[in-house]
Amino acid sequence: MASMPIDPKVTATSLAGNPRRRRKEALIRAGLIAAAIVSLAVSLAIVLSLAGEALIFLSRVDPSTLWSGIWSPRRGDFGIPVLLAGTLWVAVIAMAIAGPLGLGAAMYLSEYASPRVRRRLKPIIETLASIPSVVLGYFALQVINPQIVQNLMGATNTFTIMAAGIGVGILTIPLVASVAEDAMHAVPDALREAAYGIGAKQRTVTIRVVFPAAISGVVAGLILGFSRAAGETMVVAIAAGATGQAPLRLNPMLPGQTMTGAISSLAIGSDSVKTTDVTAVNPFDALYFVGLLLFIITFSLNLVSERFVRRVRKNY
């Protein structure tokens, strides 16, 4: 078999491409690498600053005060269970709202809505994420708590964990809906067509074919929503009744303190007291310890989400 003739104009230099284009691509590559390094450096600096100040706080505080049933920095009581209970209640209530509504919206947009309707409705749903959290905090205080929590659930307090959780749930709906809808929309049409070919109804295709095929993205969206709910600040600071002295309460119909609410109170100084003793515990230093705990919780959730997605992800 005769070999193909070699064009004398084709050289190694010509195959390498235009030198000007190569320089542009090298600059873009260098810029992207620099952006990645800066992002990593900033994240590492934040973690190190939190860890350093948290260790100083732990070296000065009595460990027994960290497990007390009250959060009162002015009195030297740093009951972490109080903050964990409030944060967990808010996140659970929020996901009880955002989970069904977000997944329902994702299923409708992916499987039932026409392409035209999907293009119009999805941006509207995602617009909920642009609502300032302080606005939704006052909405939870002025509307959700008196009209829903008090009238329908029988609460008697002006500030409640339940109202804060519902408000945070409204903020979390767009995140859950967007991530889950993208995962469902990415499922190949061949799976749907095969199910329809054997006589399956649209509801069956959605629940038993599309949803299981997109489960990795759906679970990732739920975990991201939980992390978002646990890290919300303004809604819980306004609607949950975050105060400088909060006992351990397991009833969501009562006021409570969360990790983010405690951080905001400490940051503005409402829970701090001035002292001239350099060896004494400064309540302001608890901000770094609580912030480090919150970072560990959200980072762990992200790791679990990433590991789960890699484990159950399916290639089509």
Side-chain angles (χ1 to χ4, degrees):
M1 183 176 179
S3 59
M4 295 292 293
I6 300 176
D7 189 349
K9 296 181 180 180
V10 178
T11 62
T13 304
S14 63
L15 291 175
N18 188 291
R20 184 176 180 182
R21 187 186 67 183
R22 295 201 307 271
R23 286 194 296 269
K24 287 184 178 180
E25 291 179 351
L27 289 176
I28 293 175
R29 178 184 176 85
L32 295 176
I33 294 175
I37 293 175
V38 170
S39 301
L40 182 61
V42 170
S43 301
L44 185 61
I46 292 174
V47 174
L48 291 178
S49 63
L50 286 176
E53 296 294 336
L55 290 176
I56 295 176
F57 170 75
L58 290 176
S59 65
R60 296 177 179 176
V61 72
D62 185 359
S64 62
T65 62
L66 298 176
W67 302 103
S68 64
I70 187 172
W71 171 263
S72 180
R74 286 180 174 270
R75 296 172 50 186
D77 293 320
F78 304 95
I80 298 301
V82 177
L83 306 184
L84 291 176
T87 302
L88 184 61
W89 260 123
V90 169
V92 169
I93 295 171
M95 292 310 299
I97 301 295
L101 294 180
L103 294 181
M107 289 181 182
Y108 172 75
L109 292 175
S110 176
E111 304 304 313
Y112 290 88
S114 64
R116 182 179 179 182
V117 173
R118 179 179 179 270
R119 286 194 302 268
R120 292 186 177 183
L121 286 184
K122 189 173 182 181
I124 294 176
I125 294 176
E126 293 176 346
T127 302
L128 287 174
S130 65
I131 299 177
S133 57
V134 63
V135 173
L136 199 53
Y138 280 106
F139 177 77
L141 182 63
Q142 298 295 329
V143 177
I144 295 177
N145 192 65
Q147 301 299 328
I148 299 178
V149 180
Q150 292 182 352
N151 290 345
L152 299 182
M153 301 182 183
T156 58
N157 294 277
T158 304
F159 304 95
T160 61
I161 288 289
M162 179 64 71
I166 295 175
V168 174
I170 296 175
L171 278 181
T172 312
I173 289 175
L175 176 61
V176 176
S178 179
V179 175
E181 195 276 335
D182 289 339
M184 295 180 186
H185 192 71
V187 174
D189 290 335
L191 295 179
R192 298 180 177 88
E193 294 169 358
Y196 286 129
I198 61 175
K201 297 180 180 179
Q202 188 172 16
R203 180 184 59 186
T204 304
V205 173
T206 301
I207 298 176
R208 297 190 177 183
V209 177
V210 177
F211 190 84
I215 190 63
S216 60
V218 171
V219 173
L222 292 175
I223 295 179
L224 288 175
F226 190 91
S227 299
R228 169 72 172 84
E232 173 55 39
T233 302
M234 289 308 301
V235 175
V236 296
I238 295 174
T243 60
Q245 184 172 348
L248 179 61
R249 289 168 175 162
L250 301 179
N251 186 357
M253 300 300 174
L254 298 175
Q257 183 66 285
T258 64
M259 301 179 76
T260 53
I263 291 174
S264 65
S265 298
L266 290 168
I268 63 178
S270 61
D271 286 351
S272 299
V273 291
K274 295 182 178 180
T275 178
T276 58
D277 187 0
V278 296
T279 63
V281 178
N282 186 356
F284 183 81
D285 294 337
L287 180 154
Y288 301 98
F289 178 66
V290 177
L292 182 62
L293 286 180
L294 184 60
F295 171 81
I296 292 173
I297 292 174
T298 54
F299 184 71
S300 300
L301 288 173
N302 290 334
L303 287 181
V304 171
S305 173
E306 181 68 19
R307 189 168 184 177
F308 180 84
V309 168
R310 289 184 179 181
R311 186 173 181 178
V312 303
R313 177 182 293 164
K314 298 179 181 179
N315 296 321
Y316 299 102

